[in-house]
């Protein structure tokens, strides 16, 4: 077991990573809450509730309520689900001393985190990520949100958890495609901040996952500690969006659900690497072939699976949440492990990159 800290002054919290740790970690924390007469609520997804009956049975003995979302996946990040969750917390008499435990992937973490941020103007919450993506990315850093019909993550809050408990044993039941999608985010961390991590992913089969998850969390924790609310003019938290501007456009134009988020990000990483090369920021011409090979190794796409129209992709990019004052901030590379942000990218060059990624006119 290994623990690192996300340093945010009084809002600092531990990120505990290990195998087979969830029961003991939760027992310890929940016992302390119970002794302090603090009511506990749990939120999870139907898939996890079905797979981990023993865990939820033991939690049932200690929690005031276990809320299981009505659906699995992105559909559970809806305002309707949020209202149901709020009402369930109220009916279970969760008071301001209450603690909400979010056990699940990024969807449950984002929904539960936003419910915790807003219920009674904020109650404590603990993240127990169960997908690789949630362990290396969504459970750390305090971004919480639900979706609107108009777009993903349009309503949310920055609200840090009290702890993150990442038990790698959960990954044993994770479908292979979801695991691969999580690896997309892992590759992202290597590309944006740690060439050595990128090389480790090239040289091994990532079979020793704990140090990899730890390294990703370290990188994210350092970035978030320095720029919690993504207000830095250059660099900062926006660096974590490497590949995402392309990725979000793919998800939107292909239709949500056609690509897993991590798969769309993988194509986006390829796009960012090629764009960086074309604009002359990356002198080393081996970077994009290495990105392509690494994505293939972890069963991730580096091109669109089916051609999508360039104009629609460009329009989707222009309406990205990250547009401010009419311009889009791109995250580009200088080399493997070294990313930066810029707004100075010609639209035609981006369209050419889309064509290289398999888009059509
Ligand atoms: N808050 C952030 O900083 C942040 C960062 C990245 C992504 N996100 C959000 O995360 C979400 C995606 O998260 P995700 O990829 O974890 O998807 P997810 O939460 O939908 O989980 C994927 C699927 O796997 C199932 N599942 C989860 N854990 C399992 C396990 N251990 N065994 C078997 N099945 C399991 C889930 O029920 C679901 O059906 C998106 O909504 C995205 O916007 C948030």
């Amino acid at each position: 077991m290994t623990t690192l800290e996300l340093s945010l002054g009084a809002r600092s919290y531990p990120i505990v990573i290990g195998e087979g740790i969830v029961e003991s970690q939760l027992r310890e924390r929940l016992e302390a809450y119970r002794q302090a007469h603090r009511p506990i609520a749990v939120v999870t997804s139907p898939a996890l509730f079905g797979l981990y009956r023993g865990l939820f049975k033991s939690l049932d003995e200690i929690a005031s309520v276990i809320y299981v979302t009505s659906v699995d996946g992105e559909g559970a990040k809806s305002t309707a689900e949020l209202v149901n969750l709020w009402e369930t917390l109220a009916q279970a008499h969760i008071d301001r001393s209450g603690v909400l435990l979010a056990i699940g992937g990024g969807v449950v973490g984002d929904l539960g985190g936003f419910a915790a941020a807003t219920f009674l103007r904020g109650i404590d919450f603990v993240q127990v990520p169960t997908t690789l993506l949630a362990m290396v990315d969504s459970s750390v850093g305090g971004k919480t949100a639900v979706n609107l019909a108009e777009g993903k993550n349009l309503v949310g809050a920055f609200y840090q958890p009290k702890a993150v408990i990442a038990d790698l044993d959960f990954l044993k039941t994770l479908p292979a495609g979801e695991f691969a999608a999580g690896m997309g985010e892992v590759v992202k961390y290597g590309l944006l901040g740690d060439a050595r991590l990128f090389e480790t992913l090239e040289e091994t089969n990532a079979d020793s996952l704990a140090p990899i998850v730890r390294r990703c969390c370290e990188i994210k924790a350092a970035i978030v500690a320095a720029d919690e609310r993504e207000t830095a003019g250059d660099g900062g938290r926006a660096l974590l969006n490497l590949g995402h501007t392309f990725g979000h456009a793919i998800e939107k134009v292909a239709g949500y659900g056609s690509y897993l988020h991590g798969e769309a990000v993988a194509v986006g990483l390829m796009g960012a690497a090629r764009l960086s090369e074309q604009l002359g920021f990356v002198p080393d011409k081996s970077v994009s072939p290495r990105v392509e090979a690494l994505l293939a190794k972890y069963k991730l796409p580096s091109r669109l699976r089916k051609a999508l129209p360039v104009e629609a992709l460009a329009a989707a990019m222009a309406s990205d949440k990250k547009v401010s004052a009419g311009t889009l901030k791109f995250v580009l590379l200088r080399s493997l492990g070294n990313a930066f942000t810029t707004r100075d990218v010609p639209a035609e060059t981006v369209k050419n990159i889309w064509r290289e990624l398999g888009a059509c006119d």
Side-chain angles (χ1 to χ4, degrees):
M1 193 175 84
T2 168
T3 303
L4 60 126
E5 188 184 69
L6 201 154
S7 300
L8 284 168
R11 288 173 295 107
S12 299
Y13 53 93
I15 301 163
V16 188
I17 301 160
E19 285 160 50
I21 59 166
V22 72
E23 304 239 5
S24 59
Q25 280 290 317
L26 287 181
R27 199 178 312 118
E28 209 174 286
R29 281 163 207 278
L30 298 188
E31 199 43 49
Y33 293 137
R34 191 156 74 164
Q35 280 180 14
H37 303 290
R38 299 179 64 180
I40 296 155
V42 179
V43 54
T44 192
S45 75
L48 284 154
F49 193 67
L51 281 166
Y52 293 93
R53 284 184 189 280
L55 171 66
F56 288 106
K57 197 158 175 287
S58 60
L59 286 172
D60 199 30
E61 287 163 16
I62 206 165
S64 300
V65 63
I66 297 181
Y67 180 89
V68 182
T69 55
S70 58
V71 288
D72 255 298
E74 202 60 38
K77 262 175 69 172
S78 68
T79 49
E81 193 80 53
L82 177 68
V83 172
N84 278 339
L85 175 52
W86 278 333
E87 289 175 352
T88 305
L89 296 175
Q91 285 153 16
H93 306 293
I94 303 299
D95 63 21
R96 295 186 79 175
S97 72
V99 181
L100 180 63
L101 214 64
I103 305 180
V107 162
V108 166
D110 279 12
L111 170 77
F114 188 54
T118 44
F119 186 69
L120 303 178
R121 299 198 182 88
I123 59 171
D124 286 355
F125 88 113
V126 172
Q127 290 266 23
V128 182
T130 62
T131 64
L132 181 57
L133 180 138
M135 289 178 191
V136 298
D137 196 356
S138 62
S139 67
V140 174
K143 277 194 182 176
T144 71
V146 294
N147 303 327
L148 298 181
E150 286 72 13
K152 272 186 64 168
N153 299 325
L154 289 189
V155 183
F158 286 100
Y159 195 67
Q160 302 293 343
K162 290 293 164 194
V164 179
I165 299 164
D167 186 339
L168 301 183
D169 275 1
F170 278 116
L171 302 180
K172 291 179 181 159
T173 57
L174 192 67
E178 296 288 350
F179 184 85
M183 285 305 294
E185 300 286 353
V186 173
V187 172
K188 176 193 82 174
Y189 284 108
L191 266 178
L192 77 86
D194 187 351
R196 186 68 210 114
L197 171 62
F198 192 93
E199 285 159 11
T200 303
L201 296 172
E202 288 182 317
E203 289 158 11
T204 70
N205 287 321
D207 15 48
S208 182
L209 206 55
I212 291 175
V213 170
R214 185 189 161 100
R215 186 66 196 118
C216 294
C217 289
E218 277 170 359
I219 296 171
K220 180 149 186 184
I223 288 176
V224 171
D227 182 25
E228 184 184 8
R229 290 181 171 244
E230 207 168 323
T231 48
D234 294 313
R237 195 163 180 161
L239 293 175
L240 296 166
N241 292 324
L242 180 64
H244 283 62
T245 310
F246 284 96
H248 288 152
I250 295 168
E251 285 182 280
K252 190 165 180 183
V253 176
Y256 289 107
S258 308
Y259 285 76
L260 293 176
H261 176 69
E263 292 175 330
V265 168
V267 181
L269 293 175
M270 196 64 224
R274 292 220 170 146
L275 184 57
S276 310
E277 281 177 6
Q278 277 215 5
L279 294 172
F281 292 117
V282 179
D284 176 359
K285 292 289 170 256
S286 73
V287 169
S288 64
R290 283 176 72 184
V291 173
E292 189 170 5
L294 194 62
L295 294 174
K297 176 174 174 181
Y298 291 103
K299 304 191 170 31
L300 286 162
S302 50
R303 283 173 63 82
L304 297 173
R305 283 199 283 255
K306 222 173 81 186
L308 298 170
V310 170
E311 290 306 328
L313 289 161
M317 261 183 162
S319 69
D320 193 279
K321 209 161 71 272
K322 308 290 173 194
V323 171
S324 83
T327 58
L328 184 56
K329 198 185 257 187
F330 279 86
V331 188
L332 298 177
L333 299 174
R334 286 209 168 85
S335 62
L336 274 183
N338 183 357
F340 70 104
T341 57
T342 177
R343 294 187 182 276
D344 194 15
V345 175
E348 260 325 298
T349 316
V350 178
K351 287 185 186 173
N352 281 336
I353 299 296
W354 277 123
R355 291 182 188 101
E356 286 182 27
L357 296 175
C360 57
D361 284 297

